[in-house]
Amino acid sequence: GEELYFDYYGCADCDDTYSYWGTPEMMRDFGFVDNYPQNWIFLKQNISLYIYEEDDYLYAWWDEESHKPNAQQKQYLKYNLDRLLIMGDGYELYFNNTKDNAVIPSNEWNTIIQYYQAVVDALETVLEEAGEE
């Protein structure tokens, strides 16, 4: 059969969710990482963007209402990227040492890793396109 497609972002009954609901909320509410394009919103930092894939390369896109991150916003994104990369060094060690008697089922672990990689990819793409300082 064909792949079913549902646009969670274009929900007619969901009021204004597109302005505050993106890939992290999709993971939280439905338990999966959405395909590209992905919507990333950091409300407290006033950052809103889309990550899309074209020819196996990731790009960031800002709409007319948002803007490329300023210096303070880029600092926030870089801090969190660095923190995630440090954390990532330990997750493979943890999984490799516990996969035979894992507390976390492998399908859940795979979803966690998929989300982790999506966040890292998004932050790296944004910083690259915004001109990391």
Side-chain angles (χ1 to χ4, degrees), residues 111-130:
T111 302
I112 292 167
I113 298 306
Q114 185 182 16
Y115 180 71
Y116 167 85
Q117 193 59 57
V119 176
V120 168
D121 289 346
L123 293 176
E124 287 177 338
T125 301
V126 170
L127 289 169
E128 180 180 318
E129 295 220 5

PDB file of all heavy atoms in Angstrom, residues 111-130:
ATOM      1  N   THR A 111      13.534   5.562  18.822  1.00  0.00           N
ATOM      2  CA  THR A 111      12.811   6.819  18.671  1.00  0.00           C
ATOM      3  C   THR A 111      13.536   7.946  19.394  1.00  0.00           C
ATOM      4  O   THR A 111      13.621   9.066  18.884  1.00  0.00           O
ATOM      5  CB  THR A 111      11.367   6.684  19.186  1.00  0.00           C
ATOM      6  OG1 THR A 111      10.718   5.633  18.453  1.00  0.00           O
ATOM      7  CG2 THR A 111      10.589   7.973  19.018  1.00  0.00           C
ATOM      8  N   ILE A 112      14.061   7.661  20.576  1.00  0.00           N
ATOM      9  CA  ILE A 112      14.833   8.661  21.325  1.00  0.00           C
ATOM     10  C   ILE A 112      16.047   9.101  20.514  1.00  0.00           C
ATOM     11  O   ILE A 112      16.327  10.298  20.390  1.00  0.00           O
ATOM     12  CB  ILE A 112      15.271   8.096  22.700  1.00  0.00           C
ATOM     13  CG1 ILE A 112      14.054   7.908  23.593  1.00  0.00           C
ATOM     14  CG2 ILE A 112      16.312   8.998  23.353  1.00  0.00           C
ATOM     15  CD1 ILE A 112      14.326   7.067  24.834  1.00  0.00           C
ATOM     16  N   ILE A 113      16.754   8.152  19.936  1.00  0.00           N
ATOM     17  CA  ILE A 113      17.948   8.460  19.142  1.00  0.00           C
ATOM     18  C   ILE A 113      17.552   9.240  17.887  1.00  0.00           C
ATOM     19  O   ILE A 113      18.233  10.199  17.493  1.00  0.00           O
ATOM     20  CB  ILE A 113      18.720   7.181  18.777  1.00  0.00           C
ATOM     21  CG1 ILE A 113      19.205   6.475  20.040  1.00  0.00           C
ATOM     22  CG2 ILE A 113      19.876   7.485  17.823  1.00  0.00           C
ATOM     23  CD1 ILE A 113      20.020   7.330  20.976  1.00  0.00           C
ATOM     24  N   GLN A 114      16.453   8.869  17.267  1.00  0.00           N
ATOM     25  CA  GLN A 114      15.985   9.586  16.081  1.00  0.00           C
ATOM     26  C   GLN A 114      15.657  11.042  16.429  1.00  0.00           C
ATOM     27  O   GLN A 114      16.008  11.962  15.687  1.00  0.00           O
ATOM     28  CB  GLN A 114      14.764   8.889  15.496  1.00  0.00           C
ATOM     29  CG  GLN A 114      14.282   9.491  14.210  1.00  0.00           C
ATOM     30  CD  GLN A 114      13.032   8.802  13.684  1.00  0.00           C
ATOM     31  OE1 GLN A 114      12.341   8.071  14.389  1.00  0.00           O
ATOM     32  NE2 GLN A 114      12.733   9.050  12.419  1.00  0.00           N
ATOM     33  N   TYR A 115      15.017  11.262  17.566  1.00  0.00           N
ATOM     34  CA  TYR A 115      14.698  12.633  17.980  1.00  0.00           C
ATOM     35  C   TYR A 115      15.976  13.403  18.326  1.00  0.00           C
ATOM     36  O   TYR A 115      16.139  14.557  17.926  1.00  0.00           O
ATOM     37  CB  TYR A 115      13.743  12.630  19.172  1.00  0.00           C
ATOM     38  CG  TYR A 115      13.409  14.030  19.620  1.00  0.00           C
ATOM     39  CD1 TYR A 115      12.593  14.844  18.847  1.00  0.00           C
ATOM     40  CD2 TYR A 115      13.950  14.556  20.781  1.00  0.00           C
ATOM     41  CE1 TYR A 115      12.316  16.148  19.228  1.00  0.00           C
ATOM     42  CE2 TYR A 115      13.680  15.861  21.167  1.00  0.00           C
ATOM     43  CZ  TYR A 115      12.862  16.643  20.390  1.00  0.00           C
ATOM     44  OH  TYR A 115      12.606  17.940  20.761  1.00  0.00           O
ATOM     45  N   TYR A 116      16.868  12.756  19.052  1.00  0.00           N
ATOM     46  CA  TYR A 116      18.151  13.378  19.385  1.00  0.00           C
ATOM     47  C   TYR A 116      18.845  13.850  18.107  1.00  0.00           C
ATOM     48  O   TYR A 116      19.309  14.991  18.011  1.00  0.00           O
ATOM     49  CB  TYR A 116      19.035  12.387  20.148  1.00  0.00           C
ATOM     50  CG  TYR A 116      20.468  12.826  20.259  1.00  0.00           C
ATOM     51  CD1 TYR A 116      20.873  13.686  21.272  1.00  0.00           C
ATOM     52  CD2 TYR A 116      21.425  12.395  19.343  1.00  0.00           C
ATOM     53  CE1 TYR A 116      22.191  14.105  21.371  1.00  0.00           C
ATOM     54  CE2 TYR A 116      22.737  12.810  19.435  1.00  0.00           C
ATOM     55  CZ  TYR A 116      23.121  13.668  20.442  1.00  0.00           C
ATOM     56  OH  TYR A 116      24.419  14.093  20.528  1.00  0.00           O
ATOM     57  N   GLN A 117      18.906  12.986  17.098  1.00  0.00           N
ATOM     58  CA  GLN A 117      19.591  13.332  15.855  1.00  0.00           C
ATOM     59  C   GLN A 117      18.860  14.457  15.127  1.00  0.00           C
ATOM     60  O   GLN A 117      19.494  15.337  14.538  1.00  0.00           O
ATOM     61  CB  GLN A 117      19.729  12.112  14.944  1.00  0.00           C
ATOM     62  CG  GLN A 117      20.693  12.334  13.804  1.00  0.00           C
ATOM     63  CD  GLN A 117      22.091  12.684  14.308  1.00  0.00           C
ATOM     64  OE1 GLN A 117      22.699  11.936  15.070  1.00  0.00           O
ATOM     65  NE2 GLN A 117      22.608  13.829  13.884  1.00  0.00           N
ATOM     66  N   ALA A 118      17.531  14.474  15.189  1.00  0.00           N
ATOM     67  CA  ALA A 118      16.767  15.546  14.552  1.00  0.00           C
ATOM     68  C   ALA A 118      17.076  16.896  15.193  1.00  0.00           C
ATOM     69  O   ALA A 118      17.223  17.910  14.497  1.00  0.00           O
ATOM     70  CB  ALA A 118      15.270  15.247  14.637  1.00  0.00           C
ATOM     71  N   VAL A 119      17.183  16.925  16.526  1.00  0.00           N
ATOM     72  CA  VAL A 119      17.505  18.175  17.224  1.00  0.00           C
ATOM     73  C   VAL A 119      18.910  18.638  16.854  1.00  0.00           C
ATOM     74  O   VAL A 119      19.132  19.809  16.530  1.00  0.00           O
ATOM     75  CB  VAL A 119      17.378  18.017  18.755  1.00  0.00           C
ATOM     76  CG1 VAL A 119      17.806  19.299  19.467  1.00  0.00           C
ATOM     77  CG2 VAL A 119      15.976  17.635  19.157  1.00  0.00           C
ATOM     78  N   VAL A 120      19.860  17.722  16.892  1.00  0.00           N
ATOM     79  CA  VAL A 120      21.243  18.072  16.544  1.00  0.00           C
ATOM     80  C   VAL A 120      21.320  18.578  15.103  1.00  0.00           C
ATOM     81  O   VAL A 120      21.933  19.618  14.830  1.00  0.00           O
ATOM     82  CB  VAL A 120      22.183  16.866  16.771  1.00  0.00           C
ATOM     83  CG1 VAL A 120      23.559  17.107  16.152  1.00  0.00           C
ATOM     84  CG2 VAL A 120      22.314  16.572  18.260  1.00  0.00           C
ATOM     85  N   ASP A 121      20.678  17.870  14.180  1.00  0.00           N
ATOM     86  CA  ASP A 121      20.693  18.297  12.777  1.00  0.00           C
ATOM     87  C   ASP A 121      20.077  19.678  12.611  1.00  0.00           C
ATOM     88  O   ASP A 121      20.590  20.524  11.873  1.00  0.00           O
ATOM     89  CB  ASP A 121      19.932  17.296  11.898  1.00  0.00           C
ATOM     90  CG  ASP A 121      20.663  15.974  11.744  1.00  0.00           C
ATOM     91  OD1 ASP A 121      21.863  15.893  12.073  1.00  0.00           O
ATOM     92  OD2 ASP A 121      20.013  15.013  11.281  1.00  0.00           O
ATOM     93  N   ALA A 122      18.962  19.925  13.306  1.00  0.00           N
ATOM     94  CA  ALA A 122      18.291  21.227  13.204  1.00  0.00           C
ATOM     95  C   ALA A 122      19.185  22.340  13.741  1.00  0.00           C
ATOM     96  O   ALA A 122      19.345  23.383  13.089  1.00  0.00           O
ATOM     97  CB  ALA A 122      16.961  21.197  13.954  1.00  0.00           C
ATOM     98  N   LEU A 123      19.772  22.134  14.904  1.00  0.00           N
ATOM     99  CA  LEU A 123      20.628  23.171  15.494  1.00  0.00           C
ATOM    100  C   LEU A 123      21.862  23.431  14.637  1.00  0.00           C
ATOM    101  O   LEU A 123      22.250  24.584  14.426  1.00  0.00           O
ATOM    102  CB  LEU A 123      21.026  22.790  16.919  1.00  0.00           C
ATOM    103  CG  LEU A 123      19.887  22.755  17.944  1.00  0.00           C
ATOM    104  CD1 LEU A 123      20.396  22.268  19.291  1.00  0.00           C
ATOM    105  CD2 LEU A 123      19.227  24.113  18.066  1.00  0.00           C
ATOM    106  N   GLU A 124      22.476  22.369  14.130  1.00  0.00           N
ATOM    107  CA  GLU A 124      23.648  22.548  13.255  1.00  0.00           C
ATOM    108  C   GLU A 124      23.273  23.311  11.984  1.00  0.00           C
ATOM    109  O   GLU A 124      24.005  24.204  11.549  1.00  0.00           O
ATOM    110  CB  GLU A 124      24.257  21.198  12.899  1.00  0.00           C
ATOM    111  CG  GLU A 124      24.983  20.548  14.032  1.00  0.00           C
ATOM    112  CD  GLU A 124      25.540  19.175  13.712  1.00  0.00           C
ATOM    113  OE1 GLU A 124      25.047  18.511  12.754  1.00  0.00           O
ATOM    114  OE2 GLU A 124      26.445  18.727  14.441  1.00  0.00           O
ATOM    115  N   THR A 125      22.126  22.980  11.409  1.00  0.00           N
ATOM    116  CA  THR A 125      21.675  23.638  10.172  1.00  0.00           C
ATOM    117  C   THR A 125      21.393  25.107  10.412  1.00  0.00           C
ATOM    118  O   THR A 125      21.813  25.974   9.637  1.00  0.00           O
ATOM    119  CB  THR A 125      20.427  22.926   9.616  1.00  0.00           C
ATOM    120  OG1 THR A 125      20.752  21.555   9.364  1.00  0.00           O
ATOM    121  CG2 THR A 125      19.942  23.589   8.334  1.00  0.00           C
ATOM    122  N   VAL A 126      20.692  25.416  11.501  1.00  0.00           N
ATOM    123  CA  VAL A 126      20.372  26.806  11.816  1.00  0.00           C
ATOM    124  C   VAL A 126      21.644  27.617  12.041  1.00  0.00           C
ATOM    125  O   VAL A 126      21.794  28.708  11.484  1.00  0.00           O
ATOM    126  CB  VAL A 126      19.482  26.882  13.071  1.00  0.00           C
ATOM    127  CG1 VAL A 126      19.342  28.311  13.546  1.00  0.00           C
ATOM    128  CG2 VAL A 126      18.136  26.271  12.806  1.00  0.00           C
ATOM    129  N   LEU A 127      22.550  27.085  12.814  1.00  0.00           N
ATOM    130  CA  LEU A 127      23.784  27.819  13.106  1.00  0.00           C
ATOM    131  C   LEU A 127      24.623  28.025  11.851  1.00  0.00           C
ATOM    132  O   LEU A 127      25.219  29.084  11.638  1.00  0.00           O
ATOM    133  CB  LEU A 127      24.583  27.108  14.196  1.00  0.00           C
ATOM    134  CG  LEU A 127      23.955  27.205  15.583  1.00  0.00           C
ATOM    135  CD1 LEU A 127      24.648  26.248  16.543  1.00  0.00           C
ATOM    136  CD2 LEU A 127      24.006  28.634  16.107  1.00  0.00           C
ATOM    137  N   GLU A 128      24.650  27.020  10.995  1.00  0.00           N
ATOM    138  CA  GLU A 128      25.412  27.142   9.751  1.00  0.00           C
ATOM    139  C   GLU A 128      24.799  28.214   8.845  1.00  0.00           C
ATOM    140  O   GLU A 128      25.499  29.078   8.320  1.00  0.00           O
ATOM    141  CB  GLU A 128      25.430  25.801   9.019  1.00  0.00           C
ATOM    142  CG  GLU A 128      26.183  25.811   7.705  1.00  0.00           C
ATOM    143  CD  GLU A 128      26.160  24.468   7.020  1.00  0.00           C
ATOM    144  OE1 GLU A 128      26.325  23.445   7.709  1.00  0.00           O
ATOM    145  OE2 GLU A 128      25.966  24.446   5.796  1.00  0.00           O
ATOM    146  N   GLU A 129      23.487  28.191   8.698  1.00  0.00           N
ATOM    147  CA  GLU A 129      22.832  29.141   7.793  1.00  0.00           C
ATOM    148  C   GLU A 129      22.723  30.544   8.376  1.00  0.00           C
ATOM    149  O   GLU A 129      22.655  31.522   7.640  1.00  0.00           O
ATOM    150  CB  GLU A 129      21.451  28.615   7.406  1.00  0.00           C
ATOM    151  CG  GLU A 129      21.565  27.347   6.598  1.00  0.00           C
ATOM    152  CD  GLU A 129      20.586  27.288   5.470  1.00  0.00           C
ATOM    153  OE1 GLU A 129      19.860  28.257   5.227  1.00  0.00           O
ATOM    154  OE2 GLU A 129      20.561  26.242   4.812  1.00  0.00           O
ATOM    155  N   ALA A 130      22.704  30.639   9.707  1.00  0.00           N
ATOM    156  CA  ALA A 130      22.597  31.943  10.342  1.00  0.00           C
ATOM    157  C   ALA A 130      23.962  32.613  10.510  1.00  0.00           C
ATOM    158  O   ALA A 130      24.043  33.745  10.943  1.00  0.00           O
ATOM    159  CB  ALA A 130      21.920  31.813  11.703  1.00  0.00           C
TER     160      ALA A 130
END
